[in-house]
Amino acid sequence: MDSKKVSALEAYSFLEGGGELGKRTRLFNWAQTSVGAVETWPQSLLSLVSIILSSKFPMFLWWGNDLVQFYNDAYRPSLGIEGKHPKALGQKGHDCWPEIWPVIYPLMQQVLAGESVWQEDQLIPIYRNGHLEDVYWTFSYSPARDDKGKINGVLVVCNETTEKVIASKKLEESEKTLKNMILQAPVAMCILQGPSFVVETANKKMLELWGRTKEQVINKALFEGIPAARGQGFEQILKNVVITGETYSASEQKVSLVRNGKLEDVFVNFIYQALKEGDDSISGVLVVAVEVTQEIEARQRIELAEQRARLAINAAAIGTFDLDLETEKLITSERYDEIFGFPDARGHMDYVALIHPDDKEIRDKAFEVLRRTGRLQFECRIIRKDKSIRWIRIDGEIHKNDEGKYTRVIGVAIDITDLKYLIKQKDDFIGVASHELKTPITTIKGYTQVLEEMLKVNGDSAELSIISKLDKYVSKLTNLINDLLDATKMMSGHLQLNYSEFEFDELVNEISNDLQLTITKRIDIKCAAPGCFVRTDREKIEQTVTNLVNNANKFSPNAENIVVRTFRDGDQVVCEIEDFGIGIKEENAHKIFQQFVRIDNDLKNTFPGIGLGLYISSEIIKREGGKIYVRSKEGEGSVFSFSLPCIHEFQRIN
Ligand code: ADP
């Protein structure tokens, strides 16, 4: 050791104080280490040890060739509860730190060569508390000189920063989690940081909402990235959130933004929430937004539609009702009550009680149809309390509840008395007019035929051809008048049918052959129901076939042929008339069997007619227990079919 010796007493006074480590250092048998007994220590070591022990800063010293160790109370916790302490005191550096020797020894050598080392938050795992622990340090290694100024040790002033590092790692992780959460959120989210609200993170939905790309907004001040959003009040709202720390939320807020290259008004529900740091200071704002433009537009459309419907309902004097099918509770509009002659709303059965006794069945049937098809539609008479009779029309639709069960009928009622009166006047007029026309036309026809016979006898061929044309047109007029008469009779329920039994094929063959004389197109007759007898009005079935064949001819101007087919289908016999003409659009197919219906298209005026033929045919067939229907494709042609029940051998009278 050095020449400058100090007495033990003096030496120990240097080591006074210093808490636990002070005491341990005083009691330690230093003579057994290469440092030697305290009395032999150089002044520089005594001073160093004294500074270390009295320091409240964690300090550590390696001294001499063996790098013998000294440390203080402040350093002691870094050695753990059970582990290196107290063995580390006086121990050789290498014996104490075998696990980190490869890390620290090169550093020490640097220091011993005269260069100080400083490192921050350095991970140096050490063995403590029974296992190897990740410990972070901020430390400086500086040269410790002996009395001669020679570097003889390494003074370590250090601070364990494990807690700080872990806390900041946790913070980093939680920030990362927050960012991930934002990026994957199913709603638009972003984080704005600092006084100019720099967009730190924004997810795809938020970028879509803004109509901006990542490059246009990320790490840019919000209103620089989205200039269109400026001046709409959001700057102030954001500032307030940062100043007060209070969350701001808004519903259906209108924002004008440039999206897809054009300025659009969009509606958003959003929340601005202050982002607080550990010390409660506000560093930014978390934004959560949901675009509700479509919902608002849909609502506006519904409101508009409702308004229009209300207007239409009021203008058309339509009454509305809502009937609960389970409870029979009926909610009605004022107009509905008025139609039924009630000053205010009544129970369901009060309305039903007004239905004319003869029409009650119509209503019951309509309700049966409602349960099958979901649609309610009927016309009936009601007898109001003041005895006046009114015609009403009800139209409704069934509605399901959330479980898919039919629970309500919602519909409308219209007073159609005036309309019915007009229809009756029209029917009466048609009835009277056609009746009055029938007699003179029959007479004209008679005279035409007489004239024709006379001209035949005289051999006046030119006049004869004029007269046969006249006869043809008179026949057309007669048919028309007959149709009108039949239709009025059907409407008033006065059509008389004259029943007879006949073989169906025989009738179809006969009419088709007769029609072939008047039609230039070829009629292919394919009768395949021999022996099928029907009991019905022969003349009316003749009229039906004639009408269908004439239509097939009329509506297929460019076709070469028409096919007339019969066949048996179970206990029915079917007649099909097929043409290859203009066909019928699917949506019109069901309409054509109604009276006065003619398909409204470019060809309407090309083909003459008044739209009664199919109505009459269908009424006849339905009355006879058969069916009439059409299969058609526009531009390709149509197949009209009707069926009638066959009578069995034993049912026949002769
Ligand atoms: P009309 O022929 O006197 O107009 P109908 O009651 O016989 O009256 O026919 C009603 C409508 O149905 C016709 O106006 C026509 O539009 C359509 N129609 C009937 N038969 C055919 C057919 N074979 N092909 C195409 N359209 C047809």
Side-chain angles (χ1 to χ4, degrees):
M1 270 287 134
D2 206 70
S3 59
K4 191 164 184 196
K5 301 274 184 331
V6 275
S7 74
L9 203 64
E10 272 171 327
Y12 281 94
S13 75
F14 267 104
L15 301 176
E16 252 164 37
E20 182 199 339
L21 265 303
K23 199 171 165 202
R24 285 189 186 278
T25 310
R26 281 194 299 275
L27 294 176
F28 194 81
N29 181 7
W30 294 100
Q32 68 181 23
T33 71
S34 62
V35 176
V38 178
E39 301 79 34
T40 65
W41 289 5
Q43 182 56 45
S44 50
L45 178 60
L46 287 170
S47 303
L48 266 172
V49 173
S50 163
I51 290 168
I52 290 170
L53 290 177
S54 60
S55 172
K56 295 288 173 218
F57 223 76
M59 284 175 129
F60 194 95
L61 177 69
W62 282 291
W63 187 259
N65 291 341
D66 285 344
L67 295 167
V68 173
Q69 305 183 141
F70 298 85
Y71 57 94
N72 63 4
D73 273 9
Y75 184 85
R76 190 242 165 286
S78 304
L79 295 171
I81 297 166
E82 45 187 67
K84 299 189 190 302
H85 176 77
K87 232 166 78 190
L89 187 66
Q91 205 178 7
K92 288 180 188 169
H94 178 266
D95 295 346
C96 180
W97 304 103
E99 70 275 23
I100 54 167
W101 203 244
V103 181
I104 58 173
Y105 188 62
L107 293 177
M108 281 182 196
Q109 281 184 320
Q110 228 174 298
V111 178
L112 291 169
E115 198 185 316
S116 292
V117 173
W118 186 80
Q119 284 193 357
E120 197 179 4
D121 297 333
Q122 180 73 27
L123 172 66
I124 303 177
I126 59 167
Y127 192 83
R128 71 176 180 193
N129 302 328
H131 60 274
L132 195 68
E133 254 180 57
D134 279 352
V135 181
Y136 291 86
W137 307 90
T138 291
F139 58 83
S140 77
Y141 281 12
S142 44
R145 295 174 190 273
D146 63 14
D147 291 356
K148 287 186 187 142
K150 187 184 147 233
I151 299 172
N152 197 34
V154 177
L155 175 67
V156 182
V157 178
C158 64
N159 200 10
E160 184 183 340
T161 55
T162 311
E163 265 180 40
K164 186 194 97 183
V165 171
I166 289 177
S168 84
K169 277 198 170 181
K170 272 194 187 147
L171 191 68
E172 237 172 62
E173 252 163 46
S174 76
E175 273 175 8
K176 222 159 111 190
T177 317
L178 178 67
K179 271 187 194 169
N180 272 340
M181 196 190 82
I182 289 174
L183 291 176
Q184 286 159 24
V187 290
M189 282 180 99
C190 73
I191 291 179
L192 307 175
Q193 288 289 16
S196 53
F197 306 108
V198 169
V199 183
E200 190 196 85
T201 314
N203 65 5
K204 205 161 150 249
K205 284 220 177 293
M206 189 55 104
L207 294 172
E208 278 167 13
L209 172 65
W210 287 334
R212 312 299 284 165
T213 62
K214 233 176 172 179
E215 293 69 32
Q216 285 171 317
V217 283
I218 300 292
N219 293 330
K220 297 217 171 109
L222 179 69
F223 297 101
E224 251 171 54
I226 320 166
R230 268 188 212 146
Q232 299 185 45
F234 300 106
E235 295 92 332
Q236 199 48 49
I237 300 171
L238 283 167
K239 272 183 199 154
N240 282 350
V241 172
V242 173
I243 294 167
T244 62
E246 275 170 27
T247 301
Y248 179 89
S249 60
S251 294
E252 301 180 2
Q253 173 82 41
K254 189 165 118 182
V255 194
S256 299
L257 291 171
V258 177
R259 303 201 298 188
N260 306 318
K262 56 181 194 301
L263 195 67
E264 278 180 25
D265 281 345
V266 297
F267 293 88
V268 274
N269 294 346
F270 69 87
I271 293 174
Y272 287 166
Q273 188 170 355
L275 278 178
K276 290 190 181 164
E277 294 297 301
D279 62 357
D280 254 14
S281 66
I282 294 167
S283 62
V285 179
L286 172 72
V287 183
V288 182
V290 178
E291 186 178 349
V292 290
T293 313
Q294 279 184 347
E295 287 78 351
I296 287 187
E297 281 173 359
R299 197 180 64 209
Q300 284 171 346
R301 274 199 297 276
I302 291 170
E303 278 167 6
L304 202 69
E306 269 179 3
Q307 205 182 348
R308 281 200 200 116
R310 244 196 321 276
L311 262 174
I313 283 172
N314 289 341
I318 295 171
T320 57
F321 69 89
D322 183 342
L323 174 65
D324 187 316
L325 289 171
E326 278 169 4
T327 61
E328 297 248 322
K329 193 171 179 283
L330 180 72
I331 301 167
T332 56
S333 68
E334 260 176 49
R335 176 65 195 149
Y336 189 88
D337 305 333
E338 231 173 83
I339 291 172
F340 283 80
F342 290 133
D344 43 36
R346 302 293 154 103
H348 179 210
M349 285 331 250
D350 292 330
Y351 296 89
V352 176
L354 298 192
I355 294 176
H356 194 292
D358 294 351
D359 295 350
K360 283 204 188 309
E361 207 185 322
I362 297 177
R363 178 202 173 262
D364 295 344
K365 280 208 174 126
F367 267 81
E368 270 172 44
V369 175
L370 167 77
R371 286 177 198 279
R372 263 188 288 120
T373 64
R375 281 209 56 83
L376 178 70
Q377 208 167 58
F378 66 98
E379 290 175 5
C380 70
R381 286 162 295 174
I382 52 166
I383 308 171
R384 288 179 176 173
K385 285 270 172 297
D386 63 4
K387 302 281 176 256
S388 62
I389 295 181
R390 309 291 299 176
W391 270 97
I392 58 159
R393 182 187 161 93
I394 303 280
D395 271 289
E397 222 172 56
I398 210 157
H399 286 258
K400 291 177 188 172
N401 64 8
D402 293 344
E403 286 125 45
K405 199 174 154 205
Y406 289 123
T407 50
R408 291 162 73 194
V409 183
I410 298 174
V412 295
I414 321 179
D415 186 325
I416 52 165
T417 314
D418 293 346
L419 184 68
K420 281 280 177 191
Y421 179 67
L422 281 176
I423 292 172
K424 189 170 173 333
Q425 273 188 326
K426 176 208 75 182
D427 290 346
D428 288 352
F429 169 75
I430 293 173
V432 170
S434 44
H435 195 264
E436 292 304 315
L437 283 170
K438 192 171 163 103
T439 321
I441 284 291
T442 317
T443 316
I444 292 170
K445 178 128 184 110
Y447 281 123
T448 318
Q449 277 163 1
V450 172
L451 213 54
E452 202 176 0
E453 287 307 314
M454 284 163 67
L455 290 171
K456 263 187 204 162
V457 174
N458 294 346
D460 297 331
S461 56
E463 287 86 348
L464 193 62
S465 95
I466 293 172
I467 286 297
S468 13
K469 272 187 196 143
L470 183 64
D471 185 48
K472 202 173 130 196
Y473 284 107
V474 172
S475 294
K476 275 195 177 174
L477 200 56
T478 313
N479 287 340
L480 192 67
I481 290 166
N482 283 340
D483 275 359
L484 282 170
L485 269 175
D486 281 350
T488 42
K489 278 182 199 156
M490 273 170 183
M491 285 174 240
S492 59
H494 292 133
L495 185 76
Q496 285 290 326
L497 296 177
N498 301 314
Y499 286 96
S500 64
E501 282 172 17
F502 53 90
E503 194 187 15
F504 192 70
D505 272 4
E506 180 246 323
L507 171 102
V508 174
N509 261 309
E510 188 187 309
I511 310 165
S512 307
N513 286 319
D514 285 354
L515 283 167
Q516 184 67 86
L517 301 175
T518 59
I519 289 175
T520 47
K521 221 164 271 164
R522 195 179 72 243
I523 301 178
D524 296 331
I525 308 166
K526 297 180 177 175
C527 285
C532 265
F533 279 75
V534 289
R535 183 189 301 130
T536 180
D537 187 320
R538 185 181 171 107
E539 210 182 298
K540 294 287 176 236
I541 299 304
E542 247 180 60
Q543 193 181 334
T544 301
V545 178
T546 308
N547 182 31
L548 294 179
V549 173
N550 279 335
N551 275 350
N553 180 43
K554 186 161 69 171
F555 294 107
S556 64
N558 303 321
E560 285 174 3
N561 66 325
I562 295 165
V563 183
V564 177
R565 225 177 265 121
T566 67
F567 56 89
R568 204 182 169 129
D569 181 12
D571 55 1
Q572 305 273 313
V573 61
V574 182
C575 177
E576 279 185 358
I577 288 97
E578 181 173 14
D579 70 63
F580 308 95
I582 62 168
I584 301 160
K585 269 194 190 146
E586 204 183 329
E587 70 253 32
N588 291 328
H590 70 283
K591 292 188 204 157
I592 55 174
F593 296 100
Q594 294 162 15
Q595 48 176 311
F596 301 116
V597 168
R598 304 187 61 225
I599 303 306
D600 211 356
N601 56 22
D602 302 346
L603 303 167
K604 192 173 177 181
N605 297 325
T606 318
F607 306 108
I610 53 168
L612 275 181
L614 287 179
Y615 167 70
I616 294 169
S617 302
S618 81
E619 286 299 305
I620 292 169
I621 299 299
K622 276 192 265 172
R623 250 176 235 206
E624 295 306 284
K627 281 185 186 152
I628 184 163
Y629 44 91
V630 62
R631 303 191 305 274
S632 186
K633 211 162 184 196
E634 203 186 14
E636 289 185 17
S638 316
V639 182
F640 280 82
S641 314
F642 71 87
S643 64
L644 285 171
C646 297
I647 49 168
H648 298 289
E649 221 33 52
F650 62 83
Q651 290 174 307
R652 291 180 56 198
I653 294 160
N654 44 41

